[in-house]
Amino acid sequence: MADIEDTHFDTGDSGASVTYPMQCSALRKNGFVMLKSRPCKIVEMSTSKTGKHGHAKVHLVGLDIFSGKKYEDICPSTHNMDVPFVKREDYQLTDISDDGYLCLMSDNGDLREDLKLPDGDLGAQLRSEFDAGKELLCTVLKSCGEECVIAIKTNTALDK
């Protein structure tokens, strides 16, 4: 028998799934779905009529919620598609580090410094408004183990 001290466990997550199944016909525009193993927001959806032998088909077009890349898929309406669990949270921006990481504070006062400044126009707008001294709220989307700042708005709660 092996020594008990040799036992080593690699995983540390809860084992909960990052997706749940939903019938294809129950999906709606502006909802979320997994297309080509990426979490996407449905921007277009059309259903074809049933053929001679079978199922109505649903044609889905979605945009990756993190990269904005377009994905398409066709699925029989009676089949299940994976839908990602998407969590949306607002954080107050407290600082931007020199190496491009955001210092964000949640509602309960916890600080996190593990998100990078977003690329493109949003990142440029975020930096310029922060440098101008505005109090900003960053909306962070979390899904499938990825997180990203998807929107910013001026914090109006401080004015009251």
Side-chain angles (χ1 to χ4, degrees):
M1 217 161 110
D3 287 331
I4 294 173
E5 286 132 25
D6 288 345
T7 309
H8 180 70
F9 298 102
D10 284 329
T11 59
D13 64 36
S14 65
S17 177
V18 293
T19 62
Y20 61 95
M22 183 185 260
Q23 192 167 336
C24 206
S25 58
L27 296 170
R28 294 287 168 254
K29 197 172 171 182
N30 292 330
F32 297 104
V33 69
M34 295 295 283
L35 297 176
K36 311 275 192 265
S37 304
R38 297 289 304 156
C40 296
K41 183 174 185 163
I42 301 168
V43 291
E44 201 178 304
M45 203 174 154
S46 59
T47 309
S48 65
K49 281 197 268 189
T50 54
K52 189 173 175 185
H53 299 290
H55 303 288
K57 300 258 194 302
V58 177
H59 177 241
L60 295 166
V61 178
L63 293 177
D64 188 311
I65 58 178
F66 298 116
S67 69
K69 200 172 166 203
K70 192 178 195 177
Y71 290 98
E72 290 187 55
D73 201 1
I74 294 175
C75 166
S77 63
T78 54
H79 286 205
N80 282 348
M81 295 279 287
D82 284 333
V83 177
F85 288 106
V86 178
K87 191 174 179 206
R88 180 187 206 107
E89 264 187 294
D90 283 343
Y91 292 95
Q92 184 177 337
L93 179 64
T94 56
D95 193 22
I96 300 176
S97 65
D98 297 332
D99 55 357
Y101 281 90
L102 304 174
C103 183
L104 301 168
M105 185 170 63
S106 65
D107 291 341
N108 60 8
D110 292 341
L111 285 176
R112 54 180 300 183
E113 299 177 6
D114 55 348
L115 286 175
K116 271 187 110 47
L117 189 70
D119 297 330
D121 296 341
L122 183 65
Q125 180 190 356
L126 199 151
R127 185 172 291 277
S128 66
E129 289 192 17
F130 180 74
D131 291 342
K134 289 187 181 175
E135 290 288 335
L136 297 175
L137 281 177
C138 297
T139 303
V140 175
L141 220 55
K142 179 180 183 177
S143 178
C144 301
E146 284 185 65
E147 288 182 285
C148 172
V149 175
I150 56 140
I152 57 169
K153 59 186 177 218
T154 307
N155 191 354
T156 53
L158 297 173
D159 300 336
K160 294 173 183 157

